[in-house]
Amino acid sequence: MESLAGKGAERHEGMHHQAGRRRHPVGLIRRKARFREATFFNWKKTYAGLMPSEMKRLRLLELVSLRLERNVAGLALGKERLSE
């Protein structure tokens, strides 16, 4: 599965809005944006039905979660080093 991080997620989000406003076929937009069909369906499974503000909020929460996971891993590693 391809990552939806950074500019890729913004591109997907933009394509979603473009498809909704202009009623272009999704396949055409997907090919124009140059991302795989599997990527589109994974994105759709995650973000279908969300408003743009909700998508941004979800992305922000995912980034915060990732940062916290890294901090916990770093603390665990530091604790392990201290116990040696």
Side-chain angles (χ1 to χ4, degrees):
M1 180 175 127
E2 294 179 19
S3 174
L4 296 179
K7 293 182 181 180
E10 292 169 3
R11 179 179 67 191
H12 290 288
E13 184 177 323
M15 291 293 107
H16 173 70
H17 296 304
Q18 189 176 21
R21 280 198 311 263
R22 298 185 189 148
R23 304 287 186 214
H24 289 299
V26 174
L28 176 64
I29 295 169
R30 182 185 55 76
R31 285 189 298 278
K32 254 184 154 176
R34 296 183 179 176
F35 57 91
R36 297 179 319 173
E37 188 173 6
T39 302
F40 170 75
F41 285 110
N42 286 329
W43 173 85
K44 183 178 174 184
K45 183 172 61 174
T46 303
Y47 296 104
L50 294 179
M51 298 299 293
S53 60
E54 294 170 324
M55 283 192 263
K56 289 176 185 175
R57 176 85 172 134
L58 179 59
R59 181 69 184 141
L60 178 63
L61 290 172
E62 289 171 345
L63 291 173
V64 169
S65 176
L66 181 62
R67 191 177 318 130
L68 289 172
E69 287 175 13
R70 288 179 179 166
N71 287 341
V72 168
L75 290 172
L77 183 60
K79 184 179 178 182
E80 183 180 309
R81 286 182 183 166
L82 288 174
S83 66
E84 290 178 352

